[in-house]
Amino acid sequence: MAFAERPYDPVMQPEQTTILIQRYLDRIPGDAHAETLVRELLAQAVQRLHRLCSNLLHRRYPRLARPPVNLQAEDLLSAVVARLLRALRAVQPGNVRQFFALANQHMRWELNDLARRLDEQPRARSISDSSVPAPASSDSGLSINARRMLAAIEGMPEEEREVFSLVRIQGLSHVEAAEIMGVCTKTVQRRIHRSMLLLAEALDDLRPQDPP
């Protein structure tokens, strides 16, 4: 499904986008033209969704941006918008934070599906290279320490995990994360600090030990 990105509007400030998205979310429940409102909502959010897609793709799934998949952020955005059009028929986020949490969930699902399909593709191998081991899958290629780090992130409380994902993984600024979460920047800073402490505590044995 193609979904054209709206041209950049230098007058439209991020907080204005947040306000407009919230207005659509408030109007959708019970509206006879909910499908039209959902499409207008996604059109208002498309620039921010595109940035989230780009950050998540290149930071967490860079191999999907390389051959043979050559996934572009625009392709991921189109797939995520199609997913959201279906999801928003059954789920009604009450605020901007819940809307972007839903969008992030579908981004991860789409990327995980693509990674799994890539790993399941039969690899043509000639007799001459039959002794060469097949490349590791997205899961098996992770080291034990990387698996522990992912588990530690998933084990964080929801607030800390959400802000860690937005800031440390997707590369949003504290201001942008605050707008999505509906909190002030100082709250984002506190949650980031707590998330880093939790991560350090969970992985304490991986830190270099001081010589005796």
Side-chain angles (χ1 to χ4, degrees):
M1 171 187 174
F3 194 87
E5 183 179 354
R6 292 168 64 91
Y8 174 69
D9 182 357
V11 178
M12 181 71 73
Q13 299 299 319
E15 60 270 19
Q16 293 176 303
T17 300
T18 300
I19 292 171
L20 286 173
I21 292 173
Q22 185 63 60
R23 286 177 181 170
Y24 278 105
L25 292 173
D26 292 339
R27 292 173 57 193
I28 288 172
D31 195 289
H33 304 288
E35 183 78 13
T36 300
L37 290 176
V38 166
R39 292 181 180 276
E40 292 177 1
L41 161 65
L42 293 173
Q44 292 293 339
V46 72
Q47 289 184 5
R48 195 174 294 178
L49 289 173
H50 181 273
R51 178 168 184 181
L52 291 173
C53 284
S54 180
N55 287 342
L56 188 58
L57 170 63
H58 294 290
R59 287 173 177 266
R60 293 292 301 275
Y61 300 81
R63 73 193 186 104
L64 294 179
R66 301 191 293 265
V69 180
N70 293 318
L71 182 67
Q72 301 295 315
E74 291 76 11
D75 302 325
L76 176 59
L77 175 63
S78 293
V80 169
V81 166
R83 283 176 172 267
L84 287 173
L85 283 171
R86 294 191 296 269
L88 289 169
R89 294 174 186 147
V91 180
Q92 295 180 349
N95 54 48
V96 176
R97 177 181 178 180
Q98 293 173 2
F99 169 75
F100 281 106
L102 179 67
N104 272 303
Q105 182 182 59
H106 281 281
M107 288 176 199
R108 291 194 300 272
W109 285 349
E110 180 67 21
L111 288 165
N112 286 337
D113 285 346
L114 288 172
R116 183 172 59 252
R117 290 200 294 270
L118 176 62
D119 290 338
E120 290 172 353
Q121 286 179 358
R123 297 182 177 89
R125 300 171 63 191
S126 65
I127 296 177
S128 61
D129 66 4
S130 60
S131 61
V132 179
S137 69
S138 56
D139 290 331
S140 61
L142 292 176
S143 67
I144 294 176
N145 290 343
R147 289 174 182 272
R148 285 188 57 192
M149 182 175 294
L150 290 176
I153 294 170
E154 289 299 320
M156 291 179 185
E158 181 180 357
E159 290 179 343
E160 283 72 19
R161 183 175 66 250
E162 180 182 21
V163 75
F164 187 91
S165 175
L166 291 173
V167 175
R168 302 293 293 184
I169 296 177
Q170 298 195 33
L172 271 64
S173 68
H174 289 183
V175 172
E176 291 169 325
E179 289 167 358
I180 288 177
M181 298 174 65
V183 299
C184 66
T185 54
K186 287 191 176 297
T187 298
V188 169
Q189 292 167 0
R190 285 196 299 270
R191 291 178 184 175
I192 280 289
H193 181 65
R194 285 202 301 268
S195 71
M196 296 302 293
L197 289 177
L198 290 170
L199 190 61
E201 181 179 350
L203 305 175
D204 181 68
D205 59 304
L206 299 182
R207 292 188 302 175
Q209 300 297 317
D210 294 330

